[in-house]
Amino acid sequence: MRSKSLAVFLAWCVAGACADAQDLPASLAKSAFDKVSPAVCVVNYSSEVTNPSNGRKSRRNTRALGLLVSPAGLVMAHGHMQVEDSEPFSIKVSVGEGDAEKEYDAKLLKKPEDVNICFVQIENAPGVTFPFLKFAQQDLALGEPLLILGLLGDTLDFNRSVIVRRVGSILEKPRTTYCLDERLLFGYVGGPAVNARGEAVGVVGFDLSSSEGGDLYVRSGHPLVYQTELFAKYIETPPTTTETATDTDGAFLGVFTQPLTDDLAEYWGLPQDGGVVVGTIIPGSPADVAGLKMGDIVTRFNDVPVKAKLDREVLAFTKLVREAGAGATVPLRVLREGESLDLNVTLTERPKSARDAGEFEDTVFGLTVRELTTDVRILLNLPADVQGVIVRSVKSGSWADLAELGPGVIILNFGGQPIASLDDFKAAAEKTAQEKPGEVAVFCRVGARSGFFRIQPRWENGTAAP
Amino acid sequence: MKRMFALSVACVLLATGCVTTGSGMQRAVTRAKDKVSPALVHIRPVKEVFSGGKREEISVVGSGFIISPDGYVVTNEHVAGESTLVRCVLSNKEEVDAEVIGTDRYTDLALLKLVTDSKDLPSIHFAPPGKVEAGQVVLALGSPHGLARSVSMGIVSVTDRYLGDREEMVSPYNTWIQTDAAINPGNSGGPLVNLKGDVVGVNARRLGGADNVGFAIPAATAIHVIDQLREKGRVQRSWLGLTVQETTSKTDDPNQKGVVIADVDPLSPATDAGVRPGDILLSVNGKPTDARYVEDLPDVRRLMADLPVGSQVKLQIARGNEQIEIPLTTVERDDLTGEEVEFPEWGFTATDLTPTIIRRAQLASNQGVYISGTQVGSVAANSGLVESDVVLMFDGAVVENLKAFREMYAQRVESKQRLILLQVKRGALTRFVLVKQEESTEAQTELPQQDGGVQDEE
């Protein structure tokens, strides 16, 4: 009874919206809704959030809009489901509405690097064929109306809902991005966008991945359409699970660049054709090995002209590098002091980022450490000769806490044993736990300076941290 | 109900307190106050401050005291430092200007000389160093919140409080006298005196958010620094490039002598001589450098700082199980912060590099200038220069120091060259910043024209 009145209500809503969007007939909105909404599901999960400043963990239950994209139960959700310092677990996907509603266990797959979408795979549903949504790859036009499907809140039983938005703006660079004309309530984030022909042309969200200039979009606050082409490959070949993932996304050159603005070109007496100016070169990176120098201007990469004049146009170059493939040797044309110079560079796999960094939790001393990755080294401006592990969190009341070790401290030496890797730390911590010394001198780096912390274990109270 | 009871108990206690301290105490307090008050100075300097990429002058209020009949006045560096004018109000309400003889940021002390021909000004003296003890009654005199001629009373809470560094609030060479005599903003530079009316400390800090936790620079430190300021106008210190830590940071072993070397600055005599973090420094020129607790660290640092600049010294070092002797030559310690200058045409401020900045920015050399601020909408900000950038190159030339930078800058401003290329270090990254000189002047002239356009339409 309730759902019938709701359907009437929804139909009314759609009709109301269509009065505005005259080129979107109500009947079409209704049929699109009927077609798409069965694929809309609710992803319920718990999330463990680590406060990076004190390492305290807290848990909360939350949910996201899910979208079934394969009959085998592959579900797409917005990327905010898994972010730095927040790990989802106990994931359940609720499919169908009212009496037909059914909940399934699900596991999180590895989050893609190039689009801010999470994938979840329903488990333990043998023989079930799920309703799913097929996406079409379509360009959108300025002002074009789109139906966005979403969920009402939990107090309204997550009833499916539909709203109409228009393409409010189209950004052409670094690649076509569609911005919607109005803000969205949370329940629509990750929801499908359906055009007037009833085709699902993408999902809506707020930030593309950081490699696509995510920050720029988040700061603008405008919702975007993530077009089908951004994620179709992951529906075709779903990512592996997080646990078994190997990081092979994209190739690595090892430079930080800025666009060759017309002013810079004028200053250097160069044609105002754009390009990327090499600033920092990561020591030992492919760029370093190939002999790239600060101030070089890359004008061609892998036989593709590089013509960046604006900050966001540099992203196209970043993408070229990433897509060239690790291990590939590619030609590179640079301008050095006005002269054109051809180089070959052999790209490598991208170094591990903090997100994929290995962690080790030591329950004896009560701290979790993480290996030092290239991105963290750059963020902290660490000289190349600093080797160690970085403290990620310290259990409050533990021996490490009493020694005033805190997150962000880099451990260089633990009890006289130099630490250059996570394995070194593991070995040092285990050795110390076996030898049970009365005190452990820990040599660390805090900010730009180094110094000692002294851990005073109380072994007689047992080996577990208090 | 319960609360009222508690309050009434407190009243009783306070009343009995007065009875037990007796009238002898009252007389002693009055006598001390009467002795000190005439030498008290209310100080109103106009200070140069750099903020948001601009140089500004602000007026502040502090306290001080006359230490000689010819008008030398002691106050805090943070009161009178970087001042362009120091106006003083004496206890008889007479206004007298003062000249800054010298300042020392490391101890937060300054010495002023009143501009007067008078040779018989009321003055007070420092108490013999080391004669202060916890529990001793003390008075704090000065201008809390600008209220001149104020006296507050308390006791010495702790005689040797160690305060760690907080950004530019450092005190490497002294511990502090902690007192519960009320110290408020404006008390800075005023005397903390015993009941004889002799100065045991120079009030300088308080703990924000706490009740009556104030700190004074001990007389011993003040005497040592003031003497040098009077003689040379500054305090010269040696620098080795060592950061020291108490031995208990490494081990609780009471037999552990010396001091732990926690850090060695790159580009320092100690690095050149091969001193390593983790070494234990046992002595300098045969003088022991024992520091078991943090409170012992200032003495060790002072021992090193007081070595003659440029002298050959011998460090006795324990490294693992061996003892080694390392000779090195000291250099002069730089001021805590570099000279700061405003560049008004481009709208930013910059300072010379200091070892701290060099360390923080991980610079490979001591060449460059540090951008301490940029003005919103200025040429510098519009060109993408940001605070804490270190400018390494200027139109392809190495920037040796602030002086060299000023010369290149002045030349470009004069020549109106349209584009100037800077190479800057920002965190771990190095990048180019192209300064467009004419842009903002155009913008400035365009704006009134636009206004004119609106008027035309009317």
Side-chain angles (χ1 to χ4, degrees), chain B residues 20-177:
Chain B
T20 48
T21 49
S23 58
M25 167 71 99
Q26 178 60 68
R27 273 202 301 275
V29 169
T30 310
R31 217 168 35 228
K33 186 218 70 165
D34 288 346
K35 179 176 166 189
V36 177
S37 285
L40 205 56
V41 183
H42 176 79
I43 305 181
R44 295 180 51 201
V46 174
K47 280 169 73 87
E48 180 181 58
V49 293
F50 292 86
S51 87
K54 270 206 300 256
R55 175 190 176 277
E56 282 171 319
E57 290 192 337
I58 56 162
S59 153
V60 299
V61 176
S63 310
F65 53 97
I66 304 170
I67 55 162
S68 67
D70 57 348
Y72 279 96
V73 173
V74 172
T75 184
N76 283 143
E77 189 279 334
H78 80 259
V79 172
E82 300 92 42
S83 54
T84 50
L85 173 74
V86 182
R87 188 142 292 169
C88 297
V89 184
L90 307 185
S91 58
N92 61 6
K93 298 181 188 158
E94 185 189 345
E95 280 196 34
V96 185
D97 282 354
E99 181 193 344
V100 179
I101 300 299
T103 60
D104 181 41
R105 281 205 179 96
Y106 289 105
T107 54
D108 196 8
L109 288 164
L111 182 66
L112 313 177
K113 170 77 174 66
L114 296 172
V115 182
T116 170
D117 293 331
S118 176
K119 301 283 180 212
D120 55 357
L121 292 164
S123 62
I124 50 173
H125 305 282
F126 285 103
K131 283 289 171 68
V132 63
E133 53 187 40
Q136 180 181 343
V137 173
V138 283
L139 307 179
L141 289 91
S143 309
H145 296 280
L147 304 170
R149 308 184 308 279
S150 301
V151 188
S152 61
M153 186 175 91
I155 57 170
V156 170
S157 309
V158 171
T159 57
D160 63 341
R161 176 69 65 206
Y162 180 83
L163 299 178
D165 296 351
R166 241 180 54 197
E167 289 173 12
E168 280 173 15
M169 237 169 49
V170 303
S171 49
Y173 303 116
N174 62 280
T175 52
W176 296 77
I177 296 172

Side-chain angles (χ1 to χ4, degrees), chain A residues 136 151 199 244 247 307 389:
Chain A
L151 302 170
E199 299 164 318
T244 57
D247 193 357
K307 293 186 163 298
V389 292

Side-chain angles (χ1 to χ4, degrees), chain B residues 225-430:
Chain B
V225 169
I226 296 301
D227 282 350
Q228 292 185 66
L229 292 179
R230 196 188 310 213
E231 261 174 54
K232 296 178 284 195
R234 67 195 187 100
V235 181
Q236 198 183 33
R237 293 189 177 88
S238 271
W239 187 63
L240 282 64
L242 298 176
T243 302
V244 291
Q245 225 182 337
E246 67 285 5
T247 54
T248 49
S249 67
K250 212 177 164 187
T251 176
D252 201 30
D253 181 359
N255 297 318
Q256 178 67 60
K257 296 287 179 201
V259 65
V260 174
I261 294 176
D263 201 10
V264 183
D265 267 289
L267 311 172
S268 72
T271 289
D272 294 343
V275 184
R276 298 183 203 155
D279 286 349
I280 305 285
L281 177 65
L282 298 170
S283 68
V284 176
N285 283 349
K287 288 183 191 154
T289 50
D290 296 338
R292 182 161 161 75
Y293 302 109
V294 282
E295 291 82 1
D296 306 325
L297 292 174
D299 282 345
V300 173
R301 294 189 190 120
R302 213 167 40 237
L303 177 80
M304 294 192 280
D306 288 345
L307 295 165
V309 172
S311 63
Q312 263 264 340
V313 297
K314 285 187 181 124
L315 308 184
Q316 195 67 29
I317 295 238
R319 180 176 295 164
N321 292 324
E322 55 176 337
Q323 276 206 20
I324 47 175
E325 192 178 89
I326 296 184
L328 60 73
T329 306
T330 70
V331 297
E332 183 170 358
R333 179 160 199 174
D334 284 336
D335 202 351
L336 187 60
T337 53
E339 189 198 354
E340 192 158 15
V341 172
E342 181 186 2
F343 296 87
E345 293 84 358
W346 292 5
F348 71 101
T349 53
T351 74
D352 253 325
L353 298 182
T354 60
T356 311
I357 295 171
I358 291 170
R359 193 68 203 271
R360 202 168 51 214
Q362 302 293 343
L363 302 179
S365 81
N366 51 15
Q367 290 173 328
V369 297
Y370 176 81
I371 304 299
S372 52
T374 61
Q375 286 175 43
V376 175
S378 66
V379 171
N382 291 348
S383 303
L385 200 65
V386 299
E387 186 181 329
S388 79
D389 276 354
V390 175
V391 181
L392 302 172
M393 309 269 277
F394 191 113
D395 270 346
V398 172
V399 177
E400 298 271 350
N401 50 32
L402 190 63
K403 183 170 170 282
F405 183 89
R406 285 174 84 163
E407 284 164 13
M408 291 189 271
Y409 171 85
Q411 196 273 326
R412 300 311 190 280
V413 169
E414 173 77 30
S415 72
K416 297 195 169 66
Q417 177 181 318
R418 191 175 94 85
L419 299 169
I420 294 104
L421 189 67
L422 308 178
Q423 187 183 311
V424 305
K425 187 146 195 285
R426 182 174 301 167
L429 307 183
T430 313

Side-chain angles (χ1 to χ4, degrees), chain A residues 364-387:
Chain A
V364 176
F365 297 98
L367 79 173
T368 301
V369 297
R370 208 181 229 196
E371 60 188 320
L372 278 177
T373 48
T374 308
D375 53 345
V376 171
R377 288 183 160 281
I378 290 166
L379 188 72
L380 300 180
N381 193 10
L382 289 181
D385 62 344
V386 173
Q387 299 291 324

Side-chain angles (χ1 to χ4, degrees), chain A residues 49-283:
Chain A
V49 184
T50 310
N51 179 336
S53 62
N54 59 18
R56 290 216 180 94
K57 293 179 187 224
S58 57
R59 292 180 167 194
R60 63 193 176 103
N61 291 325
T62 182
R63 64 197 69 83
L65 182 147
L67 205 51
L68 282 154
V69 291
S70 86
L74 181 67
V75 176
M76 254 170 57
H78 192 257
H80 66 252
M81 196 176 155
Q82 191 191 18
V83 289
E84 176 84 337
D85 299 318
S86 168
E87 201 54 42
F89 64 101
S90 295
I91 302 166
K92 300 203 186 297
V93 177
S94 175
V95 181
E97 286 187 273
D99 294 343
E101 183 179 334
K102 202 158 187 283
E103 194 170 74
Y104 300 91
D105 290 339
K107 67 179 176 190
L108 184 72
L109 306 182
K110 184 168 165 56
K111 189 175 172 183
E113 293 248 325
D114 54 353
V115 61
N116 194 21
I117 287 176
C118 284
F119 286 88
V120 166
Q121 176 63 53
I122 290 177
E123 292 183 300
N124 303 325
V128 180
T129 305
F130 291 96
F132 69 101
L133 184 60
K134 262 194 175 159
F135 285 92
Q137 297 206 14
Q138 287 292 343
D139 289 340
L140 302 178
L142 189 70
E144 180 175 344
L146 293 171
L147 291 163
I148 315 284
L149 272 76
L151 302 170
L152 299 184
D154 55 347
T155 52
L156 300 175
D157 291 334
F158 302 118
N159 266 300
R160 281 32 167 184
S161 158
V162 65
I163 52 173
V164 179
R165 289 287 183 270
R166 286 172 185 274
V167 176
S169 181
I170 301 176
L171 299 170
E172 295 297 349
K173 288 171 179 175
R175 53 159 184 71
T176 308
T177 301
Y178 304 106
C179 296
L180 298 180
D181 59 345
E182 273 186 71
R183 301 200 172 223
L184 291 176
L185 288 174
F186 181 70
Y188 297 92
V189 175
V194 180
N195 68 10
R197 289 188 295 279
E199 299 164 318
V201 294
V203 294
V204 293
F206 278 99
D207 47 340
L208 300 165
S209 73
S210 53
S211 63
E212 294 278 351
D215 285 358
L216 303 178
Y217 298 104
V218 177
R219 270 183 267 153
S220 83
H222 284 282
L224 312 172
V225 178
Y226 302 172
Q227 309 99 295
T228 305
E229 60 178 86
L230 292 174
F231 54 80
K233 59 186 167 187
Y234 297 112
I235 296 176
E236 191 81 19
T237 318
T240 50
T241 55
T242 309
E243 291 77 20
T244 57
T246 50
D247 193 357
T248 54
D249 323 273
F252 175 68
L253 179 60
V255 290
F256 286 85
T257 58
Q258 58 193 102
L260 181 70
T261 59
D262 286 349
D263 282 328
L264 265 177
E266 181 192 325
Y267 180 86
W268 278 317
L270 300 172
Q272 296 181 327
D273 292 338
V276 298
V277 183
V278 175
T280 309
I281 298 163
I282 297 173

